[in-house]
């Protein structure tokens, strides 16, 4: 095997279990490890180079099923920078826009593609007038593909993804990518995975964090303070959840991505769209039941 494709969740789980592939396997032929599904945190880069292989190209990649490829991805002839996706894809006019549609660097903004590309879908099934297609990609910026990721182009011309644009938290008017919180929470051994939303609360937005803990653990005051303390120490006070709630499962799509919007809608008493796209729709029920706990 020369190329190993996996998910950020898989790498994180290996790290939490203390696995060290370098001790168990001969990996001479392995040249690239490609990770997708969610942002690959800097600590995961450290783990791979420490416990898997030192001379491998670790490539976090991101794109979409709809475009049959990646907007940003790895490159074996470029350096790997801890916590960053290496580069933008060839043949794709990938950029980052601010809210006014201006190109920006080293600032958080919207992932866009400013020109057509070979694998771009030309329409949706049963969307004869093209309204759904236009609303999905081109309503935000005229004639520019808006992918819906909240990102930053780094000084290395790499990219860091901070979460989905439509799931960005906005407490006190400060935009926070959900990945910024996941990075801190899921480094804790007690937390298997988590999901964070912004809840309309007393004229502002309150950060609500749902956690699935390791088997046999319960969320008590000490663990709540530990979670809040880690977030506060490594981010800002705005990132700290106003409420933390324990759940037994996290709803996700069939491709393994967690669905913050579905949970946010449930907490606000709004209908959930595209339930048929979920791999575990039954997980939504406990969020419906726990909506009162987040109030």
């Amino acid at each position: 095997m020369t190329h190993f494709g996996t998910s950020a969740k898989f790498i994180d789980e290996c790290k939490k279990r203390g696995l060290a592939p370098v001790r168990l396997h001969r990996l001479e032929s392995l040249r690239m490890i490609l990770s997708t599904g969610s942002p690959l945190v800097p600590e995961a880069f450290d783990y791979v180079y420490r416990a898997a292989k030192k001379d491998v190209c670790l490539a976090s990649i991101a794109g979409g099923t709809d475009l049959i490829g990646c907007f940003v991805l790895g490159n074996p002839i470029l350096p790997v920078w801890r916590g960053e996706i290496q580069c933008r894809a060839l043949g794709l006019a990938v950029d980052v826009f601010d809210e006014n549609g201006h190109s920006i660097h080293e600032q958080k903004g919207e992932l866009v593609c400013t020109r057509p590309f070979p694998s771009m879908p030309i329409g949706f099934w049963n969307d004869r007038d093209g309204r759904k297609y236009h609303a999905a990609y081109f309503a935000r910026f005229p004639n520019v593909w808006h992918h819906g990721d909240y990102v930053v182009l780094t000084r290395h011309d790499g990219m860091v993804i901070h979460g989905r644009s439509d799931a960005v938290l906005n407490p006190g008017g400060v935009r926070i990518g959900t990945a910024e919180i996941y990075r801190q929470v899921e480094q804790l051994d007690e937390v298997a995975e988590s999901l964070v939303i912004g809840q309309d609360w007393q004229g502002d937005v309150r950060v609500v964090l749902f956690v699935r803990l390791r088997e046999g653990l319960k969320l008590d005051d000490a663990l709540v303070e530990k979670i809040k303390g880690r977030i506060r120490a490594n981010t800002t006070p705005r990132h700290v959840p106003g409420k933390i709630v324990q759940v037994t499962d996290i709803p996700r799509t069939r491709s393994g991505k967690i669905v913050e919007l579905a949970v946010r809608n449930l907490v606000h008493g709004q209908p959930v769209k595209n339930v048929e796209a979920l791999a575990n729709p039954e997980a939504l029920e406990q969020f419906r039941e726990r909506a009162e706990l987040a109030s």
Side-chain angles (χ1 to χ4, degrees):
M1 181 177 64
T2 58
H3 291 66
F4 175 56
T6 186
S7 67
K9 289 288 185 185
F10 177 83
I11 294 175
D12 182 59
E13 186 67 20
C14 289
K15 175 178 176 290
K16 287 188 174 183
R17 290 176 181 241
L19 301 181
V22 69
R23 300 176 188 167
L24 304 174
H25 304 282
R26 294 177 58 187
L27 301 173
E28 293 96 332
S29 62
L30 183 62
R31 302 204 308 265
M32 293 192 76
I33 298 175
L34 301 100
S35 169
T36 191
S38 59
L40 190 64
V41 299
E43 292 80 6
F45 282 75
D46 301 338
Y47 165 73
V48 167
Y49 285 109
R50 180 182 70 251
K53 192 178 184 184
K54 292 182 178 179
D55 59 340
V56 70
C57 180
L58 177 57
S60 180
I61 64 177
T65 307
D66 43 359
L67 57 100
I68 322 175
C70 295
F71 277 137
V72 286
L73 70 178
N75 183 339
I77 63 172
L78 288 179
V80 175
W81 294 94
R82 180 178 184 265
E84 296 184 17
I85 299 175
Q86 285 178 279
C87 63
R88 291 172 277 184
L90 292 173
L92 295 166
V94 176
D95 204 348
V96 179
F97 277 7
D98 64 14
E99 293 184 358
N100 299 313
H102 299 136
S103 180
I104 55 174
H105 280 66
E106 297 186 56
Q107 301 176 53
K108 294 175 186 176
E110 302 292 335
L111 176 62
V112 298
C113 190
T114 60
R115 297 183 182 181
F117 49 92
S119 60
M120 190 173 83
I122 58 174
F124 288 164
W125 191 260
N126 290 332
D127 181 31
R128 295 182 180 179
D129 59 4
R131 289 185 182 180
K132 291 182 179 179
Y133 176 66
H134 181 271
Y137 303 116
F138 299 101
R140 183 68 177 82
F141 303 109
N143 296 317
V144 170
W145 178 291
H146 175 231
H147 197 55
D149 283 334
Y150 189 51
V151 304
V152 61
L153 273 176
T154 72
R155 62 187 180 90
H156 308 121
D157 208 31
M159 185 169 285
V160 175
I161 297 180
H162 291 278
R164 292 291 299 169
S165 303
D166 51 13
V168 165
L169 312 172
N170 200 25
V174 178
R175 298 191 79 193
I176 296 172
T178 55
E180 299 171 41
I181 294 178
Y182 295 141
R183 176 188 172 185
Q184 304 305 324
V185 175
E186 296 185 9
Q187 294 302 311
L188 297 171
D189 291 337
E190 295 91 339
V191 180
E193 59 181 345
S194 59
L195 184 149
V196 65
I197 64 165
Q199 178 190 23
D200 296 338
W201 183 259
Q202 297 179 354
D204 197 353
V205 174
R206 180 174 72 167
V207 177
V208 178
L209 176 68
F210 296 91
V211 292
R212 181 173 72 84
L213 302 179
R214 293 291 173 192
E215 188 174 351
L217 296 181
K218 289 189 176 182
L219 185 68
D220 56 19
D221 292 343
L223 184 52
V224 167
E225 288 307 311
K226 183 177 181 179
I227 294 171
K228 288 184 176 182
R230 180 177 179 89
I231 295 172
R232 185 182 294 108
N234 294 286
T235 56
T236 74
R238 291 286 189 188
H239 289 71
V240 178
K243 192 79 174 181
I244 302 179
V245 181
Q246 183 176 359
V247 293
T248 59
D249 198 8
I250 299 289
R252 61 188 70 254
T253 65
R254 297 182 188 277
S255 60
K257 296 182 179 180
I258 62 174
V259 287
E260 292 118 331
L261 288 186
V263 172
R264 190 174 74 186
N265 286 349
L266 279 175
V267 169
H268 288 103
Q270 300 169 353
V272 177
K273 301 178 181 179
N274 298 326
V275 175
E276 64 278 1
L278 299 182
N280 55 341
E282 67 281 355
L284 289 175
E285 289 305 314
Q286 62 179 322
F287 287 88
R288 199 186 313 273
E289 296 168 359
R290 285 163 171 76
E292 295 182 1
L293 296 177
S295 62

